[in-house]
Amino acid sequence: MDQGLLSSISEAIESRREHVIAVARDLVRLPSVSGQEGPCALYCAKALSRLGLSVAVWEPDPTQLCSHAAYSETGSTYRGRPNVVAVLPGSGHGKSLILNAHTDVVPIGPRDLWHHDPWAADIVDRRLFGRGAADTKGGLAAILQALAVIQTLGIKLRGDLIVQCVVDEERGGNGTLATILRGYKADAAIVVEPWGLDKIMVGHRGSLAFRITVQGEAKSLGEKANSISAVEKMQVVVTALQRLRVQRKERHRDPRWAAYENPVPVLLGTVGGGDWFSSPPLRCTLEGVLGWLPGETLVSVEAEVRSTLRETCQDDPWLSTHPPILEFPTNRTQPCWVDNESPLVHVVQQSISAVRGVVPALTVANAGSDQWLYTVHGATPAVQMGPGGGGAHAPDEYVNIGDIVDCTKILALAAIAWCGSEEEL
Ligand SMILES: [Zn+2]
């Protein structure tokens, strides 16, 4: 890493440190739970326009997206929830780079479990608290400010630098999918997520959502005790899924995911049945998600869920004749993987090392993100990295302020190294 470049970037970002933090706080104060990304997206659009860039602001069109294999059915439209993409055009003969972060956040959950107002952006002990602070507004602020510093220093990149602030990552990735279908692609992408700056996620596992519905049967009033309870029959399904969890965990030994206790979890997320306390529940529905790894396919994983369910239910007199309805909603991701020796991984690794003084580990994520959309559907190799914190998808979420500032430096250095620049600094 060029020491002159490193010190120019570091000084420029340290001199605007308070502004970098202020942008992250502004973003946290804009509640952008999936479906309500509008104000946050427009904030990003304004920040990018102020840098003199032409900014595309558009609402993804579900009628265009829905025929794509990677589309996630969310049940909502994109009215007032635009994607925002800005391009800093390169001068030519350089490689292009996408920097991606999502504008949406998950709901706060029970408010009384928070010690900080989830939308106040409190700072305590160099931590910025709030829903989305880590996932992923700290990273979004770092992207916006990395671009600002490249512009302010007058660095002329050779390749295009494309900034994408996308909606709906938390519900499956339709925002990033919409950028791909609009024609955005690059020689590489960095997807900013809150993993901490000691590691680069070169891949992640796949996930498959499922929904299982069990029917019951009501007897007449005098025979109510003989009714078939859908809630009680759901116990059989739960047992089947627990068996599936054990089988899959024992079978999978992919060394790339060796750091994880169970890289193929079967998570039971919601269950609901019945509509009156003294009536037999006639329907009970369970929703969940399971993880899967390279070496499997969506078809093979679906078949395994189906056969496990069938085998378990055949021993039950009711379920063998009234089998549960098994559905796979469209929210699914595929496993993805970028080679550890790829040029993109080297550039990000060197940029992190230059700023943090330690070589980041190369590892894989045990959760989905938009990374796979680039690698599987966007013809763009992608990695994940970003400022660390805690409590993502939980109360008292926070991001480390020092990580936001360092991530800004890392992204600026990585963009210059990857895209190439016209002049020596
Ligand atoms: Zn995220």
Side-chain angles (χ1 to χ4, degrees), residues 254-395:
D254 190 315
R256 292 172 290 191
W257 272 265
Y260 294 105
E261 153 78 9
N262 182 7
V264 286
V266 178
L267 181 111
L268 312 187
T270 71
V271 64
D275 54 9
W276 189 248
F277 76 101
S278 64
S279 299
L282 299 181
R283 189 166 292 157
C284 184
T285 300
L286 179 150
E287 294 174 315
V289 65
L290 62 80
W292 60 288
L293 296 180
E296 300 183 289
T297 64
L298 271 173
V299 172
S300 72
V301 178
E302 287 183 6
E304 189 178 2
V305 178
R306 197 170 284 114
S307 65
T308 304
L309 208 54
R310 193 186 315 115
E311 281 163 26
T312 309
C313 291
Q314 73 191 10
D315 297 330
D316 183 278
W318 172 258
L319 291 176
S320 59
T321 52
H322 302 80
I325 299 163
L326 172 61
E327 299 167 280
F328 297 103
T330 51
N331 304 49
R332 54 186 61 177
T333 63
Q334 289 184 36
C336 66
W337 180 261
V338 173
D339 195 281
N340 284 1
E341 299 301 323
S342 68
L344 170 64
V345 172
H346 276 296
V347 161
V348 178
Q349 206 167 26
Q350 283 170 0
S351 303
I352 293 177
S353 301
V355 172
R356 302 284 278 197
V358 286
V359 179
L362 304 182
T363 184
V364 286
N366 208 16
S369 77
D370 282 355
Q371 184 180 0
W372 74 288
L373 292 167
Y374 290 111
T375 59
V376 177
H377 294 289
T380 300
V383 295
Q384 296 177 67
M385 56 76 72
H393 295 224

Side-chain angles (χ1 to χ4, degrees), residues 72-410:
S72 294
E73 175 57 60
T74 65
S76 32
T77 73
Y78 290 92
R79 188 159 309 151
R81 315 166 49 197
N83 269 345
V84 174
V85 175
V87 181
L88 177 60
S91 59
H93 308 295
K95 290 185 289 187
S96 54
L97 179 67
I98 289 170
L99 301 178
N100 168 296
H102 57 90
T103 49
D104 63 322
V105 301
V106 296
I108 61 168
R111 173 66 181 85
D112 58 320
L113 297 182
W114 286 75
H115 298 94
H116 298 271
D117 180 336
W119 311 114
D122 291 347
I123 292 181
V124 180
D125 291 338
R126 284 171 291 180
R127 292 174 169 179
L128 167 58
F129 285 87
R131 171 54 80 233
D135 189 9
T136 194
K137 291 184 169 171
L140 192 53
I143 289 179
L144 297 174
Q145 291 303 302
L147 195 67
V149 163
I150 288 171
Q151 284 283 75
T152 308
L153 290 178
I155 297 170
K156 300 270 184 288
L157 299 180
R158 292 181 188 275
D160 292 349
L161 182 58
I162 303 160
V163 167
Q164 301 185 338
C165 313
V166 298
V167 296
D168 237 355
E169 187 272 347
E170 298 289 1
R171 293 197 297 192
N174 286 344
T176 292
L177 178 62
T179 68
I180 292 169
L181 295 185
R182 200 174 162 97
Y184 290 106
K185 74 182 250 211
D187 296 307
I190 300 174
V191 176
V192 175
E193 290 284 0
W195 296 113
L197 297 175
D198 58 346
K199 60 180 82 71
I200 298 170
M201 293 297 180
V202 296
H204 63 68
R205 66 166 167 77
S207 62
L208 174 67
F210 55 83
R211 182 187 302 123
I212 300 170
T213 305
V214 170
Q215 306 289 338
E217 185 180 58
K219 299 286 189 190
S220 59
L221 205 52
E223 289 182 73
K224 205 160 79 171
N226 296 326
S227 297
I228 305 289
S229 160
V231 167
E232 291 185 31
K233 288 299 169 190
M234 186 57 88
Q235 288 180 30
V236 178
V237 171
V238 170
T239 302
L241 293 169
Q242 288 170 327
R243 213 182 87 206
L244 180 70
R245 178 190 293 154
V246 173
Q247 284 168 355
R248 289 182 56 76
K249 182 184 170 195
E250 282 176 358
R251 201 174 66 231
H252 284 289
R253 294 272 181 264
D254 190 315
R256 292 172 290 191
W257 272 265
Y260 294 105
E261 153 78 9
N262 182 7
V264 286
V266 178
L267 181 111
L268 312 187
T270 71
V271 64
D275 54 9
W276 189 248
F277 76 101
S278 64
S279 299
L282 299 181
R283 189 166 292 157
C284 184
T285 300
L286 179 150
E287 294 174 315
V289 65
L290 62 80
W292 60 288
L293 296 180
E296 300 183 289
T297 64
L298 271 173
V299 172
S300 72
V301 178
E302 287 183 6
E304 189 178 2
V305 178
R306 197 170 284 114
S307 65
T308 304
L309 208 54
R310 193 186 315 115
E311 281 163 26
T312 309
C313 291
Q314 73 191 10
D315 297 330
D316 183 278
W318 172 258
L319 291 176
S320 59
T321 52
H322 302 80
I325 299 163
L326 172 61
E327 299 167 280
F328 297 103
T330 51
N331 304 49
R332 54 186 61 177
T333 63
Q334 289 184 36
C336 66
W337 180 261
V338 173
D339 195 281
N340 284 1
E341 299 301 323
S342 68
L344 170 64
V345 172
H346 276 296
V347 161
V348 178
Q349 206 167 26
Q350 283 170 0
S351 303
I352 293 177
S353 301
V355 172
R356 302 284 278 197
V358 286
V359 179
L362 304 182
T363 184
V364 286
N366 208 16
S369 77
D370 282 355
Q371 184 180 0
W372 74 288
L373 292 167
Y374 290 111
T375 59
V376 177
H377 294 289
T380 300
V383 295
Q384 296 177 67
M385 56 76 72
H393 295 224
D396 288 336
E397 178 176 354
Y398 70 91
V399 61
N400 298 317
I401 285 187
D403 277 19
I404 303 175
V405 177
D406 281 355
C407 188
T408 308
K409 298 175 188 173
I410 291 163

